[in-house]
């Protein structure tokens, strides 16, 4: 089964861009529209997920029992790391509570178990329900909203493939267009919704990715001008990120994601060759951990910054757009530090959580799902390594 290694690397790069977007450092790009457009990475994640799941399972889901095994495999892929990070974040809140009740002088960055970190919100997170408009905003591990929705959208995908195998393409197209239209009606000024109408955003790009895979499967497996097409698609993507303002034009991104995914799925150009390098492949392998664990690390950064600012009487913290950020020199210097710290702080821990949590959970999921044969869908999915998550 094809590996789509360039798409693995693309996912890893997107995960690092998400980390840069969330890092709690005030730098030169904060507040600019191109920087805000890094949120398109979540839509790329959804589209990649639709492509890969269609590749791994599109011809293997034929009956209800297959759907049950698929659900087990997806749950094992997404839920264990999500809950592990949730436990770590709850530990931070407990530490805060201890310091508050002990009357210590520790400078807290926020109230223990405050808004977004209440026990009720922890329950909805555990059940993957935090993104169904039950809360006024993101809760606990904010980026996990997309993993929760991707789980339920993937179940919808499986149901369509099993019940309507011959009509799946028009259904995918209909769901993609309907989700995009409904989301635009509800949020015409921005595509960047999450805990409110995120399910529509997820369906919009996920089923676009499914359609791309079906288009790719009908191709002859070769691009006539792969080098040119790869460069063109990357330039188009960069131009879109740099120039797209808030508003209706954002809704064109799933089409752009489809173009990029289609071109790089062939793995034929010189950019694909670069993306097959070992470091970028490792980023792809660890991308879900990178995406899920960075919020925990950044919460610790805020706590340490608040503590040092208080104890050393330094002006290290700044409030910007309702977010508490570290001030590390000039905005330009801080940007360089943000780029470096995004890699050196997050990637090593993500590698550990992959080997300690993700991979054992996936192995357990494969055993529980009991797929028959060495070419099983569960094995194909874990090999492809491009499962979804987001901002």
């Amino acid at each position: 089964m094809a590996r789509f290694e360039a798409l693995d690397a693309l996912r890893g790069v997107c995960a690092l861009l998400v980390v840069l977007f969330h890092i709690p450092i005030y730098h030169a790009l904060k507040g600019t529209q191109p920087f805000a457009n890094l949120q398109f990475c979540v839509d790329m994640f959804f589209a990649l997920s639709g492509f890969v799941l269609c590749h791994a399972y599109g011809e293997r889901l034929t009956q209800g029992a297959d759907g049950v095994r698929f659900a087990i495999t997806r749950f094992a892929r997404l839920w264990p790391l999500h809950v592990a990070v949730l436990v770590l974040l709850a530990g931070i809140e407990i530490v805060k509570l201890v310091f508050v009740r002990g009357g210590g002088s520790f400078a807290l960055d926020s109230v223990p178990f405050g808004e977004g970190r209440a026990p009720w919100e922890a329950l909805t997170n555990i059940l993957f329900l935090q993104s169904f408009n039950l809360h006024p905003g993101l809760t606990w591990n904010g980026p996990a909203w997309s993993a929760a929705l991707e789980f339920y959208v993937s179940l919808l995908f499986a149901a369509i493939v099993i019940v309507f195998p011959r009509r799946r393409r028009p259904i995918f197209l209909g769901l993609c267009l309907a989700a995009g239209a409904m989301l635009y009606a509800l949020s015409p000024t921005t595509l960047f919704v999450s805990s409110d109408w995120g399910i529509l955003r997820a369906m919009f790009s996920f089923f676009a990715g499914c359609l791309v895979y079906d288009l790719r499967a009908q191709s002859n497996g070769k691009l006539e001008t792969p080098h040119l097409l790869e460069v063109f698609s990357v330039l188009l993507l960069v131009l879109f990120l740099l120039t797209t303002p808030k508003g209706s034009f954002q809704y064109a991104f799933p089409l752009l994601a489809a173009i990029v995914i289609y071109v790089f799925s062939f793995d034929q150009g010189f950019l694909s060759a670069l993306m097959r390098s070992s470091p970028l492949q490792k980023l792809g392998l660890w991308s879900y951990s990178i995406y899920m664990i960075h919020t925990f690390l950044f919460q610790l950064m805020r706590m340490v910054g608040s503590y040092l600012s208080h104890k050393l009487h330094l002006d290290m913290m700044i409030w910007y757009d309702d977010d508490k950020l570290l001030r590390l020199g000039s905005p330009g210097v801080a940007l360089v530090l943000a780029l470096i710290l995004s890699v050196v702080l997050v990637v090593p821990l993500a590698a550990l959580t992959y080997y300690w949590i993700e991979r054992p959970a996936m192995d357990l999921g494969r055993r529980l799902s009991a797929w028959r044969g060495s070419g099983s869908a569960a094995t194909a999915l874990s090999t492809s390594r491009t499962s979804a998550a987001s901002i």
Side-chain angles (χ1 to χ4, degrees):
M1 182 173 283
R3 286 278 301 276
F4 300 118
E5 291 176 304
L7 298 185
D8 286 342
L10 176 61
R11 179 170 175 77
V13 171
C14 286
L16 278 183
L17 291 176
V18 170
V19 172
L20 177 63
F21 179 76
H22 287 144
I23 195 166
I25 295 175
Y26 180 77
H27 55 71
L29 295 182
K30 280 288 186 181
T32 65
Q33 188 59 43
F35 187 72
N37 284 344
L38 292 182
Q39 294 175 85
F40 282 121
C41 287
V42 73
D43 306 285
M44 182 66 78
F45 289 152
F46 284 133
L48 284 167
S49 181
F51 182 96
V52 171
L53 289 181
C54 213
H55 169 62
Y57 287 98
E59 304 302 325
R60 299 175 184 272
L61 296 171
T62 59
Q63 56 186 335
D66 296 334
V68 172
R69 289 189 284 266
F70 171 84
I72 293 172
T73 302
R74 295 305 297 150
F75 186 80
R77 177 69 183 93
L78 297 171
W79 190 79
L81 180 60
H82 163 62
V83 169
V85 176
L86 186 62
V87 170
L88 292 174
L89 292 170
I92 290 179
E93 299 305 307
I94 292 172
V95 170
K96 291 180 181 180
L97 189 62
V98 169
F99 273 97
V100 167
R101 293 190 174 181
S105 61
F106 189 81
L108 298 176
D109 68 301
S110 59
V111 177
F113 293 100
E115 183 179 357
R117 297 176 302 280
W120 154 246
E121 293 164 325
L123 177 61
T124 59
N125 273 259
I126 290 172
L127 298 176
F128 266 162
L129 297 175
Q130 72 270 34
S131 303
F132 287 91
N133 214 8
L134 298 175
H135 311 298
L138 296 177
T139 59
W140 288 96
N141 186 11
W145 73 269
S146 59
L149 291 179
E150 192 256 338
F151 174 71
Y152 290 110
V153 173
S154 66
L155 296 186
L156 175 60
F157 157 81
I160 293 168
V161 172
I162 292 171
V163 179
F164 304 105
R166 297 182 180 179
R167 299 179 181 177
R168 74 182 202 184
R169 290 170 189 167
I171 293 175
F172 290 162
L173 178 60
L175 287 173
C176 175
L177 296 177
M182 291 176 63
L183 184 57
Y184 180 74
L186 293 164
S187 177
T189 61
T190 181
L191 179 66
F192 302 148
V193 300
S194 54
S195 62
D196 44 9
W197 304 110
I199 186 65
L200 296 175
R201 183 180 179 186
M203 292 172 62
F204 188 26
S205 292
F206 180 95
F207 288 112
C210 292
L211 291 168
V212 174
Y213 177 75
D214 282 343
L215 183 63
R216 172 69 169 83
Q218 293 177 351
S219 71
N220 61 8
K222 183 179 179 181
L223 292 173
E224 295 299 326
T225 56
H227 307 302
L228 179 62
L229 288 173
E230 286 187 355
V231 171
F232 173 77
S233 62
V234 169
L235 290 177
L236 190 63
L237 178 61
V238 172
L239 182 64
F240 190 91
L241 294 177
L242 290 177
T243 62
T244 300
K246 290 183 66 175
S248 58
F249 197 59
Q250 290 182 339
Y251 284 80
F253 185 79
L255 176 61
L256 176 58
I259 294 172
V260 172
I261 291 171
Y262 181 82
V263 169
F264 280 94
S265 69
F266 288 88
D267 279 333
Q268 291 177 349
F270 73 91
L271 292 180
S272 288
L274 292 175
M275 295 169 79
R276 289 195 297 270
S277 64
S278 180
L280 289 179
Q281 288 299 297
K282 288 295 185 181
L283 285 182
L285 183 65
W286 303 332
S287 59
Y288 185 52
S289 278
I290 291 171
Y291 185 80
M292 295 295 285
I293 199 66
H294 72 270
T295 299
F296 167 71
L297 288 174
F298 293 167
Q299 184 63 19
L300 290 179
M301 283 180 64
R302 287 187 178 92
M303 291 178 64
V304 171
S306 296
Y307 176 78
L308 293 177
S309 183
H310 174 75
K311 285 294 186 181
L312 302 179
H313 304 289
L314 299 174
D315 187 19
M316 292 181 58
M317 307 303 296
I318 182 175
W319 281 97
Y320 180 83
D321 196 21
D322 294 326
D323 194 12
K324 197 172 187 179
L325 305 176
L326 282 82
R327 190 201 304 268
L328 301 178
S330 68
V333 171
L335 177 59
V336 175
L337 291 175
L339 290 168
I340 295 172
L341 292 176
S342 294
V343 177
V344 301
L345 289 181
V346 177
V347 173
L349 180 59
L352 294 178
T353 57
Y354 172 80
Y355 289 111
W356 291 348
I357 300 173
E358 272 194 79
R359 193 164 71 176
M362 286 189 288
D363 290 341
L364 177 60
R366 285 195 295 271
R367 291 195 295 270
L368 292 175
S369 63
W371 289 101
R372 295 187 297 273
S374 60
S376 69
T379 301
L381 179 60
S382 65
T383 301
S384 71
R385 303 196 305 256
T386 321
S387 68
S390 27
I391 287 178

